[in-house]
Amino acid sequence: MTTRATKMAAATSLALLMFIGVSFAATVKPYFNGAGSTAAFNAFALAAGPTSGGAVCGGFIWSKKNGAQGVDNRGTGLLETGNVWIVWDNATAPKRVCSYIAVDSIIGQQLFFAVPASTFNILFPAGTAGDNLIPTLTDTPIPQAVINVLEGQPFNAAPTDIRPEDALFEETRVLTPLDTVHYNGLGYGPGPVGTPILSAFSTKSSTPAIYALSGNDPITGQPVPATLTHNVGVQVVVAIVNAQQGSGTNSGHFGDSTSFFNINRRDWTLALNGGYAYTKDLTSVPGQATVPLNVILREPLSGTYTALEFNIPRNAEIGSTQELGVNPATGQGTSCPGAPCGNPLFLSNGGGWRKRAIGNGEMVAQIGTAANGDAIGYAFWSVGNLGGLSPNVRYLSVDGVDPLNFNYVDGTLPSCSAPCPGIVNFANVSNGSYPVWNTLRLVSHKPVPAGVTAMIAAAQNQVVNVYPDFLPLNAMGVLRSHYKQSGFGAANASGGACTFTESGGDVGGAVLSIQGDQDYCAASGAKSGRISLKQ
């Protein structure tokens, strides 16, 4: 064969390979393409496959800090950036590709319910090394063939810490004009696209934009497809503190586990809303030194924030809010981003300060930063989120009840050498005595994509056998009473004679025994259970 013929044959072969590659990418669709909860980011990554031999999505993973965006295609111009993981089975001809962008629960649903559908956009080219964001897993550089499968594809899942009815309620609250009396509006509107909620620690932000759960999209008027909400497991919000400033008895520092071991709900509220100025205000042990109290809040578009908000400061008993005294317009054009500032939040509490973090990762990182002093914050427990962070970070019991195990010792966050199913048992969550928990859900379209079903099953199996990131549903002896929310009626769906499909909000709902709810339905003939009860 002549040189010219060889070159022509090579060119023809290359063109054919490129055509086959493009055609292949066009036919293979993402098996799981999620956007949502930052708290569940690690748990779903571990379930995706690399930990268990690639059974669900594949044996290769790439993760990147701020590595991808959810593109809102409703003409809003919104690009919601977050950390990402991608798992695949083959670098050149992938048959299964899964991805997850951590943008928080409400933003994830904002993207998922938008019509036309929001889509995936990667921010790094093929060959880029990963950041090894998922504990115990080692990244592989991202291949072009994998990018081709994901790029521009709609999301088929929205992992969320709260039900869609609660998420839409909180999104609406965020966009409503500021209500400084009842805080039924937080002032980040007007909609349909609101003002970005800013981090005090970085360039991160979270932008609200209105959407609908059914009917027509409020921005485009296009019909919203039918969806289904899946219960995955039960997550636990933990109060965490920076323990690096000292551990001397009566030093006033959170490192002193003999003085700082518990926080009751009213004291936690007063820390969150700026009512307390010093660490000594949070302990029943007298004689503490005067040490400034620093408080880190999450953003109101976060499922973690919403779960804490309605279970502690804004519950029926207390009736306050983390946003007390927060006006997003405070300091704009003058002192921002320094103090005082409403957005990014930086307000004095009279001794220390209140600031806002965006995302679970930033919250945990800032609580673990020595320069932030004696800081208190909160996060959903998972091995990847909080495991092994002690002695720099400790956790507290709430109202004298331990969130992770039956008895509180010293607030050390347990480490995991996988598999480690016994390092926590959530005994006080399953029996209903610990107050701050909510059910992890995943929202999908109907019919349910096979990849979504497989990922839920893998995550549920993993928490029993490998990493105890959340509590299995069948381990719960209690549920939360549901209530009418965002125009949807309430039903607990506790089983037995309570046969109505689960509906309505439940964040901050009163804790009831499952057996008691079933017996109520059997005795009364009610099919919804004991609804409309608040914690």
Side-chain angles (χ1 to χ4, degrees):
M1 185 179 289
T2 63
T3 302
R4 180 180 179 185
T6 302
K7 288 181 177 178
M8 288 179 64
T12 302
S13 298
L14 178 60
L16 179 61
L17 287 171
M18 290 178 67
F19 174 78
I20 291 172
V22 171
S23 298
F24 182 83
T27 57
V28 177
K29 300 298 182 184
Y31 194 54
F32 178 91
N33 193 17
S37 166
T38 58
F41 181 73
N42 290 328
F44 277 103
L46 293 166
T51 301
S52 55
V56 177
C57 304
F60 305 94
I61 186 169
W62 179 82
S63 60
K64 199 71 176 175
K65 189 176 179 64
N66 297 322
Q69 294 172 327
V71 181
D72 188 320
N73 292 310
R74 297 179 293 172
T76 63
L78 285 181
L79 301 171
E80 299 288 358
T81 302
N83 295 349
V84 65
W85 60 252
I86 300 171
V87 174
W88 66 94
D89 60 354
N90 187 288
T92 56
K95 293 181 179 179
R96 284 193 180 178
V97 178
C98 299
S99 71
Y100 187 133
I101 304 178
V103 289
D104 291 330
S105 293
I106 298 176
I107 294 296
Q109 293 185 64
Q110 179 179 299
L111 291 167
F112 178 80
F113 282 101
V115 187
S118 301
T119 50
F120 179 98
N121 177 46
I122 195 166
L123 297 177
F124 291 86
T128 300
D131 289 342
N132 295 309
L133 298 181
I134 311 303
T136 75
L137 300 184
T138 302
D139 284 2
T140 299
I142 185 73
Q144 184 63 54
V146 172
I147 293 175
N148 292 345
V149 172
L150 287 170
E151 191 64 23
Q153 292 298 312
F155 297 105
N156 65 11
T160 172
D161 308 320
I162 52 177
R163 283 191 60 79
E165 297 93 329
D166 288 321
L168 182 58
F169 172 86
E170 189 67 1
E171 176 96 69
T172 304
R173 181 185 176 215
V174 167
L175 286 167
T176 299
L178 181 64
D179 171 7
T180 57
V181 178
H182 304 292
Y183 288 88
N184 293 323
L186 300 185
Y188 291 92
V193 179
T195 300
I197 302 172
L198 307 176
S199 166
F201 303 101
S202 70
T203 59
K204 284 179 172 286
S205 65
S206 187
T207 304
I210 197 63
Y211 60 94
L213 304 182
S214 61
N216 296 325
D217 187 288
I219 294 178
T220 65
Q222 297 182 33
V224 177
T227 62
L228 186 65
T229 301
H230 312 262
N231 292 340
V232 180
V234 172
Q235 296 177 304
V236 185
V237 179
V238 179
I240 51 176
V241 294
N242 185 323
Q244 299 176 74
Q245 309 307 312
S247 58
T249 302
N250 291 350
S251 64
H253 294 305
F254 285 139
D256 174 12
S257 62
T258 63
S259 298
F260 297 96
F261 49 85
N262 177 67
I263 187 168
N264 70 53
R265 66 188 66 194
R266 287 193 177 274
D267 286 337
W268 199 358
T269 295
L270 288 164
L272 294 166
N273 70 18
Y276 279 165
Y278 304 105
T279 60
K280 63 184 180 182
D281 300 331
L282 299 180
T283 179
S284 59
V285 179
Q288 301 295 316
T290 299
V291 175
L293 172 66
N294 296 330
V295 181
I296 303 178
L297 310 179
R298 286 288 305 280
E299 73 281 16
L301 295 176
S302 153
T304 315
Y305 173 101
T306 306
L308 179 66
E309 175 84 343
F310 289 91
N311 283 317
I312 297 294
R314 202 165 177 78
N315 68 16
E317 174 192 2
I318 299 174
S320 186
T321 176
Q322 297 174 71
E323 300 305 304
L324 190 67
V326 178
N327 182 344
T330 297
Q332 299 299 324
T334 55
S335 58
C336 288
C341 185
N343 187 31
L345 179 64
F346 189 175
L347 296 177
S348 171
N349 58 16
W353 43 254
R354 284 192 292 166
K355 293 184 180 181
R356 196 183 307 282
I358 303 293
N360 181 81
E362 185 166 80
M363 165 65 86
V364 173
Q366 293 304 321
I367 289 295
T369 299
N372 286 329
D374 286 274
I376 185 170
Y378 51 88
F380 274 116
W381 158 265
S382 78
V383 172
N385 292 342
L386 297 175
L389 293 185
S390 297
N392 291 346
V393 178
R394 297 175 53 247
Y395 76 94
L396 306 177
S397 64
V398 178
D399 291 338
V401 181
D402 188 286
L404 302 181
N405 290 297
F406 191 75
N407 294 311
Y408 185 89
V409 180
D410 59 4
T412 296
L413 290 158
S415 298
C416 172
S417 177
C420 56
I423 61 168
V424 295
N425 59 36
F426 305 115
N428 297 318
V429 179
S430 62
N431 67 26
S433 57
Y434 185 75
V436 200
W437 58 270
N438 224 58
T439 301
L440 171 65
R441 272 97 178 190
L442 188 148
V443 188
S444 75
H445 293 301
K446 294 181 180 179
V448 181
V452 170
T453 301
M455 280 288 286
I456 291 173
Q460 292 171 330
N461 179 69
Q462 171 198 278
V463 300
V464 173
N465 298 308
V466 187
Y467 298 101
D469 288 341
F470 52 83
L471 191 65
L473 295 169
N474 61 11
M476 289 297 288
V478 298
L479 54 73
R480 289 197 180 276
S481 177
H482 292 43
Y483 46 85
K484 185 178 181 180
Q485 186 76 290
S486 299
F488 291 83
N492 294 339
S494 56
C498 301
T499 56
F500 283 0
T501 301
E502 186 176 15
S503 180
D506 75 339
V507 65
V511 176
L512 307 171
S513 79
I514 293 174
Q515 185 63 60
D517 203 47
Q518 292 175 352
D519 289 348
Y520 168 77
C521 287
S524 67
K527 304 301 182 184
S528 299
R530 290 188 186 273
I531 58 173
S532 304
L533 303 175
K534 298 289 185 73
Q535 179 165 299

